[in-house]
Amino acid sequence: MDNSSGVGVLDKAALVLSALESGPATLAGLVGATGLARPTAHRLAVALEHHRMVARDMQGRFILGPRLSELAAAAGEDRLLATAGPVLTHLRDVTGESAQLYRRQGDMRICVAAAERLSGLRDTVPVGSTLPMKAGSAAQVLLAWEEPERLHRGLQGARFTATALSGVRRRGWAQSIGEREPGVASVSAPVRGPSNRVVAAVSVSGPIERLTRHPGRMHAQAIIDAAGRLSEALRRNG
């Protein structure tokens, strides 16, 4: 198959990136793998380094750069949002409660998608809302699988404990009753990316009088199913 796009410099840059896919390479290694002239390979690798698509390791060899990971993460986020709409709508219809999808951003969590309950009392969290990581079942889920140091830091000032997060990891879902807001209960489960890392939390929330003081008994399975569908969509495209 002809891999030429007709834009020579881009084709050569793609050759360099493809060569680095299998691991670090010296300039001589790049020349050998790409068939490019030495000055061309060097010029392209340095230009790609300027754009952070190529970097250097401790030995000075060329490696794939951090910009590629950032672009891959953005593509994954787009896939997550593309899948989220129908999954959250189904979750809302099954549970009768408002459904949300949260991603962590530093010390906050952001509602990136939602399906509102159509009538009656509802817990409305508009898309784009920024909520603290210190309270609520989604915050518990986004923190529970973090590495120990970050988890310990996240627990400082939180409305939940390390023991509660241990329970979340064991069960695979979290619940909160009046933790983020008086009178509101919620249940959340983790959405995992291709590397099994928790990338988001899917939730339902509503008044305690409807969800009761044991909302997990009512809705945990529906939440886990929804989180599983979103995780599967990310794995399929990962």
Side-chain angles (χ1 to χ4, degrees):
M1 187 180 73
D2 182 12
N3 284 325
S4 170
S5 70
V7 183
V9 69
L10 278 183
D11 291 339
K12 290 170 185 170
L15 278 177
V16 170
L17 293 174
S18 296
L20 294 177
E21 190 177 358
S22 55
T26 60
L27 180 55
L30 270 185
V31 169
T34 61
L36 296 170
R38 187 182 177 93
T40 304
H42 182 259
R43 192 173 71 248
L44 284 170
V46 169
L48 287 166
E49 187 180 10
H50 176 76
H51 289 287
R52 298 173 61 243
M53 289 186 176
V54 164
R56 310 270 186 135
D57 68 6
M58 299 293 281
Q59 284 81 49
R61 296 174 299 181
F62 294 106
I63 57 172
L64 292 175
R67 183 68 186 130
L68 297 173
S69 299
E70 292 164 6
L71 291 169
E77 185 163 327
D78 286 347
R79 283 198 298 272
L80 182 62
L81 294 182
T83 315
V87 172
L88 291 181
T89 300
H90 177 73
L91 180 60
R92 177 200 65 195
D93 293 346
V94 166
T95 61
E97 301 297 343
S98 299
Q100 303 91 25
L101 183 69
Y102 293 98
R103 291 187 74 101
R104 181 170 184 176
Q105 193 168 84
D107 293 330
M108 306 299 285
R109 55 186 167 106
I110 298 173
C111 179
V112 292
E116 289 302 335
R117 194 170 191 265
L118 300 176
S119 62
L121 273 174
R122 56 184 184 260
D123 177 41
T124 303
V125 182
V127 171
S129 295
T130 304
L131 300 175
M133 281 289 295
K134 301 299 184 187
S137 63
Q140 293 177 38
V141 161
L142 291 170
L143 190 61
W145 283 272
E146 285 283 11
E147 61 267 22
E149 188 184 319
R150 202 168 178 197
L151 191 150
H152 178 71
R153 209 164 50 240
L155 280 168
Q156 290 166 13
R159 299 279 304 275
F160 43 80
T161 63
T163 307
L165 294 190
S166 176
V168 170
R169 288 191 295 275
R170 192 175 62 249
R171 289 190 309 268
W173 54 269
Q175 65 178 9
S176 74
I177 300 98
E179 201 175 87
R180 174 176 64 83
E181 198 177 311
V184 172
S186 67
V187 189
S188 299
V191 177
R192 295 177 181 275
S195 62
N196 213 35
R197 193 171 59 87
V198 174
V199 296
V202 63
S203 306
V204 293
S205 58
I208 290 173
E209 49 265 42
R210 268 203 318 265
L211 270 75
T212 77
R213 300 199 74 80
H214 302 282
R217 281 185 199 163
M218 295 179 72
H219 298 312
Q221 193 54 54
I223 297 285
I224 288 168
D225 291 346
R229 286 175 66 193
L230 290 170
S231 300
E232 180 57 35
L234 290 182
R235 275 196 296 273
R236 216 168 38 239
N237 293 291

